[in-house]
Amino acid sequence: MSGTIYPHAVGFVAGDRPRIVTDRFQYHDAHTMERFLATDGYKGLRAALAKSPTEVHDEVKGATVLGRGGAGFAAGVKWGLTPQGVWPRYLVVNGDESEPGTYKDRLLMELDPHQLIEGCLIACYAAGLSQCFLYVRGEMALAQERIATALNEAYAAGYVGKNILGSNFSVDIVLHWGAGAYVVGEETALIESLEGNRGMPRQKPPFFPAAIGLYGKPTIVNNVETLANLPWLMRNGVEAYTAIGTATSPGTRMVAVSGHVKRPGVYEIINGTTTFRDLLYGDEFCGGIRDDNQLKAFVPGGGSAPWFLPDQLDLPFENKLVSAAGSMLGSGAIIVMDDTTDIPAAALTLTRFYAHESCGKCVPCREGGTWLERIMRRIVDGHGTERDLDQLLEVGEMICPGAFPHAASERLGLGAVPFPYKMTTICFVGPSAYAPVHSALTLFRDEFEAKLVRRNLIPVTVGAGDDPH
Amino acid sequence: MARLNEANAVLAKEIIGRYPRPRSATIPLLHLAQQQDGYVTDEAIKHIGELVGATSAEVLGTATFYEMFKFEPVGKYLVNICGTMSCALLGADELMHHAEHKLGIKAGSTTADGLFTLEHAECQAACTEAPCLQVNYRYRYRVTPADLDKLIDDLSRGRLDGEIPPHGTVARVRQHIPSDRAVGAVAPEAVTGAPEWTPPSPEAKK
Ligand SMILES: Cc1cc2nc3c(=O)[nH]c(=O)nc-3n(C[C@H](O)[C@H](O)[C@H](O)COP(=O)(O)O)c2cc1C
Ligand code: SF4
Ligand code: FES
């Protein structure tokens, strides 16, 4: 391990689990061209170029490589959604990683940039994408430096650019970087930003980027981890890939576990079969809750996800099962709260985040997010009233009408409301401001009530017409 | 210096040349301007507009959307302390209070000597290393108050000059596409057909 840069995030090399995307992390020089070439580097590209683009595309479809950016949509299917005969087509790589709790794409970019470049090339070859823009989050200086260095080396060695490895496959990969705005991670906002505009999401439907994207042309937006899977897949084949995990969730995925566990870290786990309990308590993973405290709750899929309780620990990392249980796997980020956690205060940190990151295009998100933050702040500061709790739910109803997903709780005698929700906003930022509020209030209402101003403390001598509030 | 200097104007043209449409270079050029002057000046906005074919208002409209761009001088070191959930659960608030005390300023302001600007930041994608911070976008992980004191002292004495460039410079390595290897960017409307390596479309096969 490169001890100085990653003193703690060593989880990914522990144990003998399959390592599809993190295998090179065991070398301190994994980011160099030498190490990459000495460890099967660019062999996946060679394997792909030996086949027709259609064959490569079919393999990616056959392997069901699920998107790792949040929605979990199969990459091979997405590539097939570009309209026939419309050119050019672009690849935009989403390296904007900023969902609270999420920490994996940055590691892939910093530690193994050539693997990502190789994945981009395979995608371009298969889907006929003639230029690739690698959009890295603005605040990630080291990731930008590592990718720039890797691209310079790869161009010089003939892996990127004109007539790659002497073939008729030619593609430029352009390193592009942002300047700090969470919502730009949303794929249509990413495209707006790449066109030089404010990063505000576009209304969709009617047009998804695969049909009308960058400069109005068909554009595939894929997450960094999604693309990083492709070199291994090309080298080892569909059968080897689908032998790991389950039929609906094959392969592995990277998961960051943060908060109150003994060994927070980034782990590459087996899709579909590893459970939350394995991950939080397993000796080869997080090793239990800090100080041997009790687990109170956890966020299972990034800050946007409704919360889970110890009741849900035995669920595996499988999209459908987690949706049915009232949340989502999202971006592979688990935030753990032990029994010392002040729940309303914890929820406020997320609501503040989404309220702050609203782009302002939709009223329910712009106004509702701010309202939620203010009311939560008032409650946490000890000035809230019973009326504030109702108001939180009323604001939530404006952003997400109808039943909002939540977990089942034996303690509260609650059944699960499955994911997803209805929403009145263009993108998920508005609902994400509400999700932590709704989870906290539904599962831990007593903690909110304990913070409210006691009505019986209001002096009984208030004169007529005086408003006690 | 306020407009891009000669060397940076050359670099700007190289960057613009990589995109099918010049305006896509707006954010990279704003970074270039900020690297040159430490913040984005009005003259640089105007110059970037000329280079990418946009009005100053359009460039400014884009620039103000993004948090990294500053429109007045900030400290040589921008210290961003993360306060989002994972960091908050492990002491981010205490760390911020400590930093405010150590630097003698409130978050959102700059020390009198112009050396430090302190800011509240949101999730920095280092959540397993909480609480964390960035100095000019270089990470510090699992930061204790003692670590913070040492960091500030080291920065003040110039001991970290090799590792942390002054505010404005993000990546110190740039991509350069050699002209003999470049495919070259083509305006989307100038593309007439499928790329060479793609299989003939079903219609063409008939
Ligand atoms: C508000 C918002 C923020 C998002 N942020 C990211 C992000 O930082 N990185 C990412 O890969 N996907 C992010 N997504 C998901 C993208 O819109 C998109 O679905 C994804 O990049 C597609 O890649 P995939 O199919 O390979 O997962 C975000 C979505 C929303 C609504
Ligand atoms: S939901 Fe919020 S962030 Fe998303 S488009 Fe609407 S206002 Fe912008
Ligand atoms: S919450 Fe602080 S880095 Fe993610």
Side-chain angles (χ1 to χ4, degrees):
Chain A
M1 281 311 303
S2 51
T4 51
I5 307 178
Y6 304 95
H8 307 291
V10 294
F12 37 69
V13 291
D16 58 357
R17 302 179 301 278
R19 294 193 295 261
I20 291 181
V21 290
T22 63
D23 196 34
R24 276 185 211 94
F25 288 12
Q26 60 190 299
Y27 306 109
H28 74 279
D29 59 351
H31 59 281
T32 63
M33 183 86 152
E34 285 96 331
R35 176 63 68 186
F36 189 68
L37 292 178
T39 48
D40 296 334
Y42 292 116
K43 281 197 189 151
L45 173 66
R46 286 179 198 275
L49 292 183
K51 296 173 192 159
S52 76
T54 313
E55 284 171 302
V56 175
H57 189 166
D58 285 344
E59 282 190 26
V60 175
K61 261 194 232 159
T64 321
V65 179
L66 299 180
R68 308 299 207 260
F73 196 75
V77 177
K78 189 190 276 189
W79 300 355
L81 297 177
T82 52
Q84 285 273 326
V86 183
W87 310 98
R89 297 172 184 167
Y90 300 109
L91 175 63
V92 175
V93 185
N94 194 340
D96 197 53
E97 186 170 69
S98 21
E99 170 81 351
T102 313
Y103 176 25
K104 62 188 184 69
D105 298 335
R106 180 162 73 85
L107 284 170
L108 290 169
M109 294 188 284
E110 290 178 357
L111 293 180
D112 202 348
H114 282 287
Q115 174 176 257
L116 173 61
I117 292 168
E118 188 179 3
C120 296
L121 293 169
I122 294 166
C124 288
Y125 179 70
L129 317 174
S130 56
Q131 200 174 0
C132 168
F133 299 93
L134 220 164
Y135 194 120
V136 182
R137 181 170 169 183
E139 292 96 331
M140 296 179 176
L142 182 64
Q144 293 163 25
E145 289 174 357
R146 289 271 169 90
I147 291 176
T149 307
L151 278 173
N152 290 346
E153 290 168 337
Y155 262 101
Y159 293 107
V160 187
K162 230 188 303 191
N163 300 113
I164 291 168
L165 295 173
S167 71
N168 65 355
F169 171 49
S170 300
V171 68
D172 273 333
I173 300 181
V174 174
L175 170 60
H176 184 93
W177 60 105
Y182 161 74
V183 66
V184 162
E186 195 279 336
E187 56 189 1
T188 58
L190 194 72
I191 288 170
E192 283 289 333
S193 180
L194 188 50
E195 291 182 359
N197 303 325
R198 297 168 78 82
M200 294 175 147
R202 294 174 180 170
Q203 182 87 48
K204 62 171 188 179
F207 301 120
F208 289 87
I212 298 189
L214 185 63
Y215 315 124
K217 296 294 178 185
T219 302
I220 299 300
V221 181
N222 268 138
N223 169 260
V224 163
E225 186 189 345
T226 312
L227 294 163
N229 271 269
L230 302 180
W232 193 98
L233 172 63
M234 289 300 124
R235 290 199 309 271
N236 297 279
V238 176
E239 248 175 69
Y241 192 88
T242 53
I244 303 167
T246 61
T248 49
S249 296
T252 63
R253 70 179 293 169
M254 287 175 78
V255 179
V257 192
S258 60
H260 298 152
V261 287
K262 284 187 181 152
R263 271 197 307 280
V266 184
Y267 300 91
E268 183 169 357
I269 59 153
I270 297 177
N271 241 348
T273 60
T274 307
T275 66
F276 291 105
R277 188 185 299 282
D278 297 337
L279 189 57
L280 266 48
Y281 290 92
D283 281 339
E284 75 274 42
F285 299 110
C286 299
I289 307 302
R290 67 159 183 192
D291 305 332
D292 291 323
N293 289 346
Q294 295 298 309
L295 172 66
K296 195 167 185 177
F298 60 101
V299 188
S304 304
W307 298 4
F308 275 169
L309 298 167
D311 302 59
Q312 281 78 40
L313 274 174
D314 290 312
L315 280 172
F317 276 77
E318 208 288 319
N319 288 316
K320 291 207 175 67
L321 293 173
V322 169
S323 297
S327 190
M328 60 167 186
L329 290 176
S331 55
I334 300 177
I335 309 173
V336 177
M337 291 166 264
D338 73 7
D339 53 1
T340 67
T341 308
D342 178 339
I343 292 284
L348 171 59
T349 67
L350 287 177
T351 299
R352 191 194 59 213
F353 175 89
Y354 294 104
H356 179 242
E357 299 295 337
S358 168
C359 82
K361 198 165 175 175
C362 330
V363 177
C365 170
R366 185 181 65 219
E367 299 297 321
T370 313
W371 274 75
L372 290 173
E373 183 193 344
R374 287 210 192 130
I375 301 169
M376 288 291 284
R377 162 67 57 203
R378 190 153 71 215
I379 295 168
V380 168
D381 287 347
H383 307 304
T385 64
E386 192 75 31
R387 173 82 192 96
D388 284 331
L389 302 190
D390 298 335
Q391 195 137 36
L392 287 173
L393 299 174
E394 282 162 25
V395 175
E397 177 75 22
M398 286 193 286
I399 302 172
C400 294
F404 196 85
H406 65 73
S409 163
E410 202 172 315
R411 174 175 62 90
L412 299 170
L414 268 185
V417 171
F419 200 80
Y421 36 69
K422 291 199 193 70
M423 57 200 245
T424 59
T425 55
I426 294 176
C427 86
F428 293 96
V429 172
S432 300
Y434 183 52
V437 173
H438 183 271
S439 290
L441 192 52
T442 305
L443 305 172
F444 299 96
R445 191 176 174 107
D446 48 336
E447 291 200 29
F448 284 78
E449 284 171 349
K451 287 186 189 289
L452 299 182
V453 175
R454 297 259 166 259
R455 281 182 188 276
N456 58 13
L457 293 183
I458 298 167
V460 284
T461 51
V462 176
D466 284 1
D467 184 353
H469 300 294
Chain B
M1 189 74 66
R3 287 171 68 87
L4 294 178
N5 63 30
E6 225 168 286
N8 282 338
V10 171
L11 199 49
K13 296 222 169 83
E14 183 189 331
I15 294 170
I16 292 169
R18 286 180 209 152
Y19 295 93
R21 290 199 181 146
R23 278 184 69 162
S24 286
T26 305
I27 291 174
L29 296 196
L30 285 162
H31 275 297
L32 187 62
Q34 182 150 292
Q35 174 166 353
Q36 176 181 294
D37 299 321
Y39 67 106
V40 181
T41 65
D42 292 347
E43 291 84 351
I45 297 254
K46 187 160 175 289
H47 194 184
I48 291 169
E50 291 162 18
L51 289 166
V52 304
T55 64
S56 297
E58 285 167 332
V59 177
L60 185 65
T62 295
T64 51
F65 188 80
Y66 300 91
E67 269 168 46
M68 288 174 77
F69 296 130
K70 311 293 175 194
F71 303 96
E72 48 194 67
V74 295
K76 180 176 177 194
Y77 298 112
L78 178 63
V79 180
N80 283 333
I81 299 186
C82 175
T84 311
M85 187 170 180
S86 308
C87 290
L89 287 174
L90 290 163
D93 279 358
E94 292 77 4
L95 187 64
M96 180 54 99
H97 287 147
H98 185 83
E100 289 182 334
H101 185 75
K102 168 86 182 164
L103 292 170
I105 52 172
K106 284 277 169 207
S109 47
T110 302
T111 54
D113 60 6
L115 217 45
F116 295 99
T117 297
L118 183 63
E119 282 189 356
H120 276 288
E122 299 289 3
C123 182
Q124 299 173 335
C127 318
T128 67
E129 312 309 307
C132 65
L133 60 79
Q134 289 187 321
V135 182
N136 294 348
Y137 309 107
R138 267 75 188 167
Y139 287 91
R140 286 295 178 278
Y141 298 141
R142 302 196 188 187
V143 184
T144 63
D147 294 339
L148 188 116
D149 290 346
K150 183 166 183 318
L151 174 66
I152 299 295
D153 293 342
D154 285 349
L155 288 166
S156 304
R157 303 214 168 112
R159 286 197 204 120
L160 295 172
D161 283 357
E163 188 194 340
I164 302 180
H167 177 259
T169 298
V170 187
R172 288 162 301 180
V173 182
R174 286 190 176 272
Q175 179 183 15
H176 289 289
I177 303 181
S179 54
D180 61 323
R181 295 280 318 130
V183 183
V186 185
E189 40 288 332
V191 176
T192 49
E196 208 184 329
W197 74 88
T198 56
S201 66
E203 305 94 77
K205 261 191 235 162
K206 277 182 215 150

